[in-house]
Amino acid sequence: MRRLAGPTVTGSRVTASGWGWRHAGRARQAVSGLDLDIRPGERVLVLGPSGAGKSTLMHALAGVLGDDEDGDETGDLFVDGLRPSQARGRVGLVLQDPDSQVVLARVGDDVAFGCENLGVPRAEIWPRVSQALADVGLDLPLRHPTSALSGGQKQRLALAGVLAMRPGLVLLDEPTANLDPDGVVEVRDAVHRSVEASGATLIVIEHRVAVWQDVVDRVIVLDPAGGVLADGPAGTVLSAEGERLAAAGVWIPRFPPAMPHRTEAAGDTLLSAQDLAVGRVPFARRQAVPVADGLDLDVRAGSTLAITGPNGTGKSTLALTLAGLLAPAGGRLAATSALAAGIGEAPHRWRSRDLLERIGTVFQDPEHQFLAGTVRSELLVGPRALGLGAAEQAERVDGLLTRLRLDHLADANPFTLSGGEKRRLSVATVLATRPRLLVLDEPTFGQDARTWAELVRLLAELQGTGTAVVAVTHDDLFVTALADARLTLVPGAGPATGRVVSTGPVASAGPSRPAPPVEGGTP
């Protein structure tokens, strides 16, 4: 095994005794009664239903949870015998949202940032940077602009920045959530190689149990009611406790969620693209640079189009273009009279009010669309903008709160929710205006098995009533459950190209590359 240059890292010890945390303004603790002892060098997979406090624990261990004004702490939590806020140089954290961790304009500088803050000698920094980038499979020049990276590439960049620091404790919060199948394997293997070679302790939160179970020593399952549901060797926990954990919402390979019943209701074409090119306008430029071109597709009422393909091929850019939030970079995109009677065929020229009732968009990062101070107020933004009466506003909002298991969080600040809860809220805010077309970017990431099934079931029902869905996704089970057609973007020497590779139910869809073994199609 290749050894890391420089001294071997000493793995950190993590201990908790009756530890808990309650976010400010919340009645219930996010985590409570937690007792843990994680040995130096141990590799731990943390599981649990959505909202069990997994991310809260990670933030606490990284020393970034906040102070007394941000919440109330009970019990004790230590890293190497120190409060986490005193051990920050020993801990590296990769968050669910890679955008929040990009701090500099160039790839090399961004990876070097943590090392520079730790006072690593300059002569040692750049070999570390190059090695970390190679480990995570981000084969880009050091001067490559971070603004040009896809969401998945930013996730690899964030991981590279942590690995370059060589911390004693590596914390990964859903590190492969937005990666393509090849990227999932690359990042997992990079993490495994790095902690094996360095001796660092690893704690990873991930719904992809099957991806990580063979590279961790231990599985800890958090209980939303407090403490832990299960704790022990990975194989033992997943086999002996599998049925009980699956019933609680944990993704277990042998217990996939039930697939929804679908009603075939494909109808009128709502959007049509011919030889479409999509791209974004770089800083200080006037013209968009195409990232994908040659795209032909139709979006029909009552159907779901899945957009798949490797990271960096322009999937999110295509989704934003179909949603009317970016102008086409070439070719033609037209809304038909079934969607746009009387307002013109170019969605990017519509007013925001026109879009509100016709095309609803869920961004890859849920926080990019939050506007209000509570979950309930967030859900009311759209209905109020439509001028709906108070009774109809309440009916729509209360129904979505209950259906997406957010009712107990109605008065919570959206930014204090777990990653999975934020995703469900971002979907619910769009559903509250009942648009004819939903454009969703990674709609199922961060979901436990129970909330995944509920979200997919809801989308299937909407599809059955004539709503069209366009979904950018790496979740093969989602594609199998809902998609009528799959458009795969294929990288090339220039812009990516795309073609519909299957029509009709896509349970056995064509030439897209199979994913690594992932239980139940977790996002």
Side-chain angles (χ1 to χ4, degrees), residues 55-350:
S55 293
T56 299
L57 173 61
M58 291 296 228
H59 293 167
L61 289 171
V64 297
L65 196 53
D67 53 29
D68 292 340
E69 295 182 358
D70 298 307
D72 298 322
E73 185 176 28
T74 56
D76 294 309
L77 184 67
F78 296 109
V79 176
D80 291 331
L82 301 172
R83 297 288 180 185
S85 60
Q86 301 171 316
R88 286 176 179 162
R90 290 279 292 157
V91 182
L93 169 66
V94 177
L95 297 168
Q96 288 176 333
D97 172 20
D99 279 320
S100 66
Q101 296 179 103
V102 177
V103 294
L104 294 174
R106 298 184 297 190
V107 164
D109 294 338
D110 196 84
V111 177
F113 180 75
C115 294
E116 291 170 343
N117 278 274
L118 293 177
V120 175
R122 182 179 179 82
E124 189 178 336
I125 288 177
W126 293 104
R128 288 195 187 189
V129 168
S130 297
Q131 180 177 302
L133 287 170
D135 278 344
V136 300
L138 197 57
D139 184 18
L140 294 170
L142 297 181
R143 299 178 65 87
H144 188 83
T146 54
S147 61
L149 300 179
S150 70
Q153 288 171 321
K154 288 177 182 176
Q155 211 157 10
R156 299 190 204 193
L157 180 70
L159 177 60
V162 164
L163 296 180
M165 293 164 57
R166 299 185 185 165
L169 174 60
V170 176
L171 305 173
L172 306 179
D173 192 348
E174 301 275 7
T176 64
N178 294 317
L179 296 180
D180 57 56
D182 286 341
V184 169
V185 174
E186 286 176 0
V187 168
R188 179 203 62 192
D189 290 349
V191 171
H192 180 58
R193 287 194 305 268
S194 298
V195 297
E196 278 278 288
S198 71
T201 303
L202 171 69
I203 302 177
V204 57
I205 295 173
E206 181 62 90
H207 286 294
R208 300 172 188 259
V209 174
V211 170
W212 291 92
Q213 65 184 26
D214 293 332
V215 298
V216 297
D217 310 307
R218 178 178 174 188
V219 168
I220 297 173
V221 185
L222 298 189
D223 189 340
V228 299
L229 280 171
D231 182 1
T236 301
V237 168
L238 296 176
S239 59
E241 302 285 348
E243 186 171 4
R244 182 169 71 97
L245 296 179
V250 179
W251 283 99
I252 301 296
R254 295 178 293 116
F255 300 96
M259 301 294 260
H261 173 72
R262 287 183 50 193
T263 302
E264 296 297 330
D268 296 334
T269 297
L270 303 181
L271 280 179
S272 184
Q274 292 86 40
D275 198 28
L276 177 67
V278 299
R280 306 187 191 222
V281 180
F283 180 72
R285 299 271 301 268
R286 292 186 177 182
Q287 266 189 319
V289 176
V291 293
D293 61 13
L295 306 176
D296 297 318
L297 61 93
D298 291 318
V299 177
R300 300 178 64 196
S303 68
T304 293
L305 170 66
I307 301 175
T308 63
N311 290 117
T313 51
K315 299 186 299 298
S316 294
T317 303
L318 172 58
L320 292 174
T321 304
L322 296 176
L325 302 179
L326 290 177
R332 183 171 184 268
L333 174 66
T336 69
S337 58
L339 180 65
I343 61 171
E345 67 174 24
H348 72 281
R349 299 189 184 279
W350 296 352

Side-chain angles (χ1 to χ4, degrees), residues 27 34 46 69 156 167 179 215 268 282 290 349 355 409 437 459 479 512:
L34 186 63
V46 175
E69 295 182 358
R156 299 190 204 193
L179 296 180
V215 298
D268 296 334
R349 299 189 184 279
L355 282 171
L409 298 168
L437 167 60
L459 292 175
V479 175
S512 63

